[in-house]
Coordinates of all heavy atoms in Angstrom, one line a residue:
Y1 N 115.0 116.8 121.3 CA 113.9 117.6 120.8 C 114.3 118.0 119.4 O 115.4 118.6 119.2 CB 113.8 118.8 121.7 CG 113.4 118.5 123.1 CD1 114.3 118.3 124.1 CD2 112.0 118.2 123.4 CE1 114.0 117.9 125.4 CE2 111.7 117.8 124.7 CZ 112.6 117.7 125.7 OH 112.3 117.3 126.9
G2 N 113.5 117.7 118.4 CA 113.7 118.1 117.1 C 114.3 116.9 116.3 O 115.1 116.2 116.7
A3 N 113.8 116.8 115.0 CA 114.2 115.7 114.1 C 115.7 115.7 113.9 O 116.3 114.7 113.9 CB 113.5 115.8 112.8
E4 N 116.3 116.9 113.8 CA 117.8 117.0 113.6 C 118.5 116.4 114.7 O 119.5 115.7 114.6 CB 118.2 118.4 113.2 CG 119.6 118.5 112.8 CD 119.9 120.0 112.4 OE1 119.1 120.6 111.7 OE2 121.0 120.4 112.8
E5 N 118.2 116.8 116.0 CA 118.8 116.3 117.2 C 118.7 114.8 117.3 O 119.6 114.1 117.7 CB 118.3 117.0 118.4 CG 119.1 116.8 119.6 CD 118.6 117.7 120.8 OE1 118.5 118.9 120.6 OE2 118.3 117.1 121.9
I6 N 117.5 114.3 117.0 CA 117.3 112.9 117.1 C 118.2 112.1 116.0 O 118.8 111.1 116.4 CB 115.8 112.5 116.9 CG1 115.0 113.1 118.0 CG2 115.6 111.0 116.8 CD1 113.5 113.2 117.8
A7 N 118.2 112.6 114.8 CA 119.0 112.0 113.8 C 120.5 112.0 114.2 O 121.2 111.0 114.0 CB 118.8 112.7 112.4
E8 N 121.0 113.1 114.7 CA 122.4 113.2 115.2 C 122.7 112.2 116.3 O 123.7 111.5 116.3 CB 122.7 114.6 115.7 CG 122.8 115.6 114.6 CD 123.0 117.0 115.2 OE1 123.3 117.2 116.4 OE2 122.8 118.0 114.4
W9 N 121.7 112.0 117.2 CA 121.9 111.0 118.3 C 122.0 109.6 117.7 O 122.8 108.8 118.1 CB 120.7 111.1 119.3 CG 120.8 110.0 120.3 CD1 121.5 110.0 121.5 CD2 120.2 108.7 120.2 NE1 121.3 108.9 122.1 CE2 120.5 108.0 121.4 CE3 119.3 108.1 119.3 CZ2 120.1 106.7 121.7 CZ3 118.9 106.8 119.6 CH2 119.3 106.2 120.7
R10 N 121.1 109.3 116.7 CA 121.2 107.9 116.1 C 122.5 107.6 115.6 O 123.0 106.5 115.6 CB 120.1 107.8 115.0 CG 118.7 107.7 115.4 CD 117.8 107.3 114.2 NE 116.5 107.5 114.6 CZ 115.7 108.4 114.2 NH1 116.1 109.3 113.4 NH2 114.4 108.5 114.7
R11 N 123.2 108.6 115.0 CA 124.5 108.3 114.4 C 125.6 108.2 115.4 O 126.7 107.7 115.1 CB 124.8 109.4 113.4 CG 124.0 109.2 112.1 CD 123.7 110.4 111.3 NE 122.9 110.1 110.1 CZ 121.7 109.8 110.1 NH1 120.9 109.7 111.2 NH2 121.1 109.5 108.9
S12 N 125.4 108.6 116.6 CA 126.4 108.5 117.7 C 126.1 107.5 118.8 O 126.9 107.3 119.7 CB 126.7 109.9 118.3 OG 125.6 110.3 119.0
A13 N 124.9 106.9 118.7 CA 124.4 106.0 119.8 C 125.2 104.7 119.8 O 125.6 104.2 118.7 CB 122.9 105.7 119.6
P14 N 125.5 104.2 120.9 CA 126.2 102.9 121.0 C 125.3 101.8 120.4 O 124.1 101.9 120.3 CB 126.4 102.7 122.5 CG 125.4 103.5 123.2 CD 125.1 104.7 122.3
P15 N 125.9 100.6 120.1 CA 125.1 99.5 119.5 C 124.1 99.0 120.6 O 124.3 99.2 121.8 CB 126.2 98.4 119.3 CG 127.5 99.1 119.3 CD 127.3 100.4 120.1
L16 N 123.0 98.4 120.1 CA 122.0 97.9 121.0 C 122.5 96.7 121.7 O 123.3 95.9 121.2 CB 120.8 97.4 120.1 CG 120.1 98.5 119.4 CD1 118.9 97.9 118.5 CD2 119.5 99.6 120.3
P17 N 122.2 96.6 123.0 CA 122.6 95.5 123.8 C 122.0 94.2 123.4 O 120.8 94.2 122.9 CB 122.2 95.9 125.2 CG 121.1 96.8 125.1 CD 121.3 97.5 123.8
P18 N 122.6 93.1 123.5 CA 122.0 91.8 123.2 C 120.8 91.5 124.1 O 120.8 92.0 125.2 CB 123.1 90.8 123.5 CG 124.3 91.5 124.0 CD 124.0 92.9 124.0
G19 N 119.8 90.9 123.5 CA 118.6 90.6 124.3 C 117.6 91.7 124.4 O 116.6 91.6 125.2
R20 N 117.7 92.8 123.7 CA 116.8 93.9 123.8 C 115.6 93.5 123.0 O 115.7 93.1 121.8 CB 117.4 95.1 123.3 CG 116.5 96.3 123.5 CD 117.1 97.6 123.1 NE 116.4 98.1 122.0 CZ 116.5 99.4 121.6 NH1 117.3 100.2 122.2 NH2 115.8 99.8 120.6
N21 N 114.4 93.7 123.5 CA 113.1 93.5 122.9 C 112.3 94.7 122.9 O 112.5 95.6 123.8 CB 112.4 92.3 123.6 CG 113.1 91.0 123.5 OD1 113.5 90.6 122.4 ND2 113.4 90.5 124.6
T22 N 111.3 94.8 122.0 CA 110.4 96.0 122.0 C 109.0 95.5 122.3 O 108.6 94.4 122.0 CB 110.4 96.7 120.7 OG1 110.0 95.9 119.7 CG2 111.8 97.3 120.4
G23 N 108.2 96.4 122.8 CA 106.8 96.2 123.0 C 106.4 96.4 124.4 O 107.2 96.3 125.3
P24 N 105.2 96.7 124.7 CA 104.1 97.0 123.6 C 104.3 98.3 122.9 O 105.0 99.2 123.5 CB 102.8 97.0 124.4 CG 103.2 97.4 125.8 CD 104.6 96.9 126.0
T25 N 103.7 98.4 121.8 CA 103.7 99.7 121.1 C 102.2 100.2 121.1 O 101.3 99.4 120.9 CB 104.1 99.5 119.6 OG1 105.4 99.1 119.6 CG2 103.9 100.8 118.8
V26 N 102.1 101.5 121.5 CA 100.7 102.1 121.6 C 100.6 103.2 120.6 O 101.5 104.1 120.6 CB 100.5 102.6 123.0 CG1 99.1 103.3 123.1 CG2 100.6 101.5 124.0
I27 N 99.6 103.2 119.8 CA 99.4 104.2 118.8 C 98.1 104.9 119.1 O 97.0 104.2 119.2 CB 99.4 103.7 117.3 CG1 100.7 103.0 117.0 CG2 99.1 104.8 116.4 CD1 100.7 102.2 115.7
S28 N 98.1 106.2 119.4 CA 96.9 106.9 119.7 C 96.7 108.0 118.6 O 97.6 108.8 118.3 CB 97.0 107.7 121.1 OG 97.3 106.7 122.1
S29 N 95.5 107.9 117.9 CA 95.2 108.9 116.9 C 94.3 110.0 117.4 O 93.4 109.7 118.3 CB 94.7 108.2 115.7 OG 93.4 107.6 116.0
F30 N 94.5 111.1 116.9 CA 93.7 112.3 117.3 C 93.1 112.9 116.0 O 93.8 113.8 115.4 CB 94.5 113.3 118.1 CG 95.2 112.7 119.3 CD1 96.5 112.2 119.1 CD2 94.5 112.5 120.5 CE1 97.1 111.6 120.2 CE2 95.2 111.9 121.5 CZ 96.5 111.5 121.4
G31 N 92.0 112.4 115.6 CA 91.5 112.8 114.3 C 92.2 112.0 113.1 O 92.8 111.0 113.4
R32 N 92.2 112.6 111.9 CA 92.7 111.9 110.8 C 94.2 112.3 110.5 O 94.9 111.7 109.7 CB 91.9 112.2 109.5 CG 90.5 111.7 109.6 CD 89.7 112.2 108.4 NE 90.4 111.7 107.2 CZ 89.8 111.2 106.1 NH1 88.5 111.1 106.1 NH2 90.5 110.9 105.1
D33 N 94.7 113.4 111.1 CA 96.0 113.9 110.8 C 97.0 113.9 111.9 O 98.2 114.2 111.6 CB 95.8 115.4 110.3 CG 94.9 115.5 109.1 OD1 95.0 114.6 108.2 OD2 94.1 116.5 109.1
V34 N 96.7 113.5 113.1 CA 97.7 113.5 114.2 C 97.6 112.2 114.9 O 96.6 111.7 115.2 CB 97.3 114.7 115.1 CG1 98.3 114.7 116.3 CG2 97.3 116.0 114.4
A35 N 98.8 111.7 115.3 CA 98.9 110.5 116.1 C 100.2 110.6 117.0 O 101.1 111.3 116.7 CB 99.0 109.3 115.2
S36 N 100.2 109.8 118.0 CA 101.3 109.6 118.9 C 101.6 108.2 119.0 O 100.7 107.3 119.1 CB 101.0 110.2 120.3 OG 102.0 109.9 121.2
V37 N 102.9 107.8 118.9 CA 103.3 106.4 119.0 C 104.4 106.3 120.1 O 105.3 107.1 120.2 CB 104.0 106.0 117.7 CG1 104.4 104.5 117.7 CG2 103.0 106.2 116.5
S38 N 104.2 105.3 121.0 CA 105.1 105.0 122.0 C 105.4 103.5 122.0 O 104.5 102.7 121.9 CB 104.5 105.4 123.4 OG 104.2 106.7 123.5
T39 N 106.7 103.2 122.2 CA 107.1 101.8 122.3 C 108.1 101.6 123.5 O 109.0 102.4 123.7 CB 107.9 101.4 121.0 OG1 107.0 101.5 119.9 CG2 108.4 100.0 121.1
E40 N 107.8 100.6 124.3 CA 108.7 100.2 125.4 C 109.9 99.4 124.8 O 109.7 98.6 123.9 CB 108.0 99.4 126.4 CG 107.0 100.2 127.3 CD 106.4 99.4 128.4 OE1 107.1 98.5 128.9 OE2 105.3 99.6 128.7
F41 N 111.0 99.6 125.4 CA 112.2 98.7 125.1 C 112.6 98.0 126.4 O 112.6 98.6 127.5 CB 113.4 99.6 124.7 CG 113.1 100.2 123.3 CD1 112.5 101.5 123.3 CD2 113.4 99.6 122.2 CE1 112.3 102.1 122.1 CE2 113.2 100.2 120.9 CZ 112.6 101.4 120.9
R42 N 112.8 96.7 126.3 CA 113.1 95.9 127.4 C 114.4 95.1 127.1 O 114.6 94.7 125.9 CB 112.0 94.9 127.8 CG 110.7 95.6 128.1 CD 109.6 94.6 128.4 NE 108.4 95.3 128.7 CZ 107.2 94.9 128.3 NH1 107.1 93.8 127.6 NH2 106.2 95.6 128.6
T43 N 115.2 94.8 128.1 CA 116.3 93.9 127.9 C 116.3 92.8 128.9 O 115.8 92.9 130.0 CB 117.6 94.7 128.1 OG1 118.7 93.8 127.8 CG2 117.8 95.3 129.5
T44 N 116.8 91.6 128.5 CA 116.8 90.4 129.3 C 118.1 90.3 130.0 O 118.3 89.4 130.8 CB 116.5 89.2 128.5 OG1 117.5 89.1 127.4 CG2 115.2 89.2 127.9

């Protein structure tokens, strides 16, 4: 929760596993100023 906590996690996260793929990505907009983006991560 919060941009700072997310940025801290990125710097300490382990490397991505081989074979990881993304998708689908879903973008839902709510008017002109607000949107939500979700992406699934899959590994083979």
